[in-house]
Amino acid sequence: MKDIRNIVILTGAGVSAESGIDTFRGGGGLWEQHRVEDVATPEAFARDPDLVLRFYDMRREAIQTKAPNAAHLALASLDREWPGELLIVTQNVDDLHERAGAQIGLNETRVLHMHGEHLNAWCMACDERSRWTGSLIDRPACPECGEAALRPDIVWFGEMPYRMDEIFEALERADLFVSIGTSGAVYPAAGFVRNAREFGAQTLELNLEPSQGTHWFDEARHGAATELVAAWVDEVLDR
Ligand code: NAD
């Protein structure tokens, strides 16, 4: 690990699985008993806003009862101790990376939520985002403009992920790209390994099973995130 200075880590639903948050494709292609098209697309929201708002209200409530696991905590300790550049790009919309950071005394984590955050609401009238821990089903007023036009701040299928420029700049500078707990099925995140390789980074996969893109990685280790990630962080920090 001697030549590694800049690290980009991509995390997915698998990193939060051992905290009791369902992954996407865990339940036979259904997500919490719903087809993805019925709850995670702009068309679904236009067709049946109550169904979509209720679905996200339940998820928002549920994640607040979950706690970070050993994988989140190991990544937070890497964030605190890594002397070079580090960016944790997460596809997750939970806040467990941040809570793990807070648990070990980090004021700020180097985490970028490319698919949005459950604990934000986005106003379609004024475009502002507000911290949101309650429900949206009763159409509360936006704290910024007063309009009842809030939606979950989640990037749905067919929408553009956030902060792609920043992610590509980090990938361009990365010496090491690590993908953790992601199936490699959702683009553009699934393509980051190829981008990182083209930019000259070493690549490592840590996942329960081989992902769809596993053959693109220089090295792949398979097992539970709580074990693999903690061991890898010890290795990279040389402790
Ligand atoms: P995914 O559900 O498609 O894949 C999860 C991957 O994690 C699988 O390859 C699985 O084998 C692996 N996995 C499961 N348990 C694991 C464990 N204990 N340790 C290590 N790996 C484990 O998830 P994805 O690739 O992140 O894509 C799904 C999309 O759904 C994302 O865009 C995300 O926004 C959203 N999502 C987010 C959450 C969350 O915020 N926690 C949960 C579900 C879905």
Side-chain angles (χ1 to χ4, degrees), residues 21-22 31-32 39 52-64 66 91-96 98-99 113 115-122 130-136 151-156 162:
I21 301 179
D22 269 7
W31 191 18
E32 306 255 323
V39 289
V52 173
L53 291 174
R54 203 173 294 114
F55 175 76
Y56 284 98
D57 280 354
M58 280 167 53
R59 304 272 305 172
R60 193 178 310 103
E61 193 180 337
I63 63 154
Q64 293 177 72
K66 310 297 180 190
Q91 298 169 89
N92 293 345
V93 293
D94 66 51
D95 63 339
L96 296 184
E98 286 88 347
R99 277 200 267 149
H113 285 271
H115 289 164
E117 297 179 58
H118 264 321
L119 298 182
N120 274 352
W122 175 22
S130 307
R131 201 73 188 149
W132 206 268
T133 53
S135 63
L136 292 174
R151 62 164 267 186
D153 187 16
I154 302 286
V155 176
W156 286 322
Y162 297 154

Side-chain angles (χ1 to χ4, degrees), residues 80-95:
R80 186 177 59 195
E81 292 175 39
W82 185 249
E85 284 184 29
L86 171 75
L87 182 65
I88 301 173
V89 178
T90 188
Q91 298 169 89
N92 293 345
V93 293
D94 66 51
D95 63 339

Side-chain angles (χ1 to χ4, degrees), residues 4-210:
I4 305 293
R5 181 169 165 77
N6 300 336
I7 304 178
V8 175
I9 296 171
L10 172 70
T11 67
V15 84
S16 295
E18 289 164 89
S19 292
I21 301 179
D22 269 7
T23 62
F24 216 22
R25 290 172 182 76
L30 295 181
W31 191 18
E32 306 255 323
Q33 283 76 54
H34 291 280
R35 292 186 321 148
V36 169
E37 310 85 84
D38 292 338
V39 289
T41 63
E43 293 77 19
F45 187 52
R47 194 170 52 236
D48 192 346
D50 279 5
L51 174 76
V52 173
L53 291 174
R54 203 173 294 114
F55 175 76
Y56 284 98
D57 280 354
M58 280 167 53
R59 304 272 305 172
R60 193 178 310 103
E61 193 180 337
I63 63 154
Q64 293 177 72
T65 67
K66 310 297 180 190
N69 64 47
H72 299 105
L73 286 163
L75 292 174
S77 73
L78 181 66
D79 188 357
R80 186 177 59 195
E81 292 175 39
W82 185 249
E85 284 184 29
L86 171 75
L87 182 65
I88 301 173
V89 178
T90 188
Q91 298 169 89
N92 293 345
V93 293
D94 66 51
D95 63 339
L96 296 184
H97 285 305
E98 286 88 347
R99 277 200 267 149
Q103 211 166 307
I104 65 161
L106 270 181
N107 289 329
E108 234 173 84
T109 50
R110 293 182 268 185
V111 173
L112 184 163
H113 285 271
M114 65 177 290
H115 289 164
E117 297 179 58
H118 264 321
L119 298 182
N120 274 352
W122 175 22
C123 179
M124 288 172 288
C126 72
D127 201 32
E128 289 296 321
R129 287 171 169 82
S130 307
R131 201 73 188 149
W132 206 268
T133 53
S135 63
L136 292 174
I137 186 75
D138 294 328
R139 311 300 198 274
C142 166
E144 297 294 329
C145 72
E147 291 290 322
L150 296 172
R151 62 164 267 186
D153 187 16
I154 302 286
V155 176
W156 286 322
F157 285 92
E159 297 183 321
M160 181 63 80
Y162 297 154
R163 299 166 67 182
M164 291 300 291
D165 289 352
E166 264 173 83
I167 296 171
F168 275 104
E169 279 163 24
L171 286 171
E172 213 169 329
R173 288 196 302 273
D175 305 306
L176 176 64
F177 171 77
V178 188
S179 173
I180 304 174
T182 174
S183 61
V186 178
Y187 281 82
F192 290 168
V193 57
R194 273 175 277 174
N195 304 123
R197 284 173 73 103
E198 281 162 19
F199 291 133
Q202 292 177 43
T203 54
L204 170 66
E205 167 170 285
L206 305 176
N207 202 48
L208 192 60
E209 59 199 357

Side-chain angles (χ1 to χ4, degrees), residues 196-238:
R197 284 173 73 103
E198 281 162 19
F199 291 133
Q202 292 177 43
T203 54
L204 170 66
E205 167 170 285
L206 305 176
N207 202 48
L208 192 60
E209 59 199 357
S211 72
Q212 290 186 23
T214 195
H215 53 281
W216 291 105
F217 290 85
D218 297 320
E219 188 190 346
R221 301 179 190 174
H222 298 130
T226 47
E227 287 166 26
L228 288 185
V229 179
W232 172 72
V233 168
D234 281 348
E235 209 176 290
V236 83
L237 289 176
D238 214 4

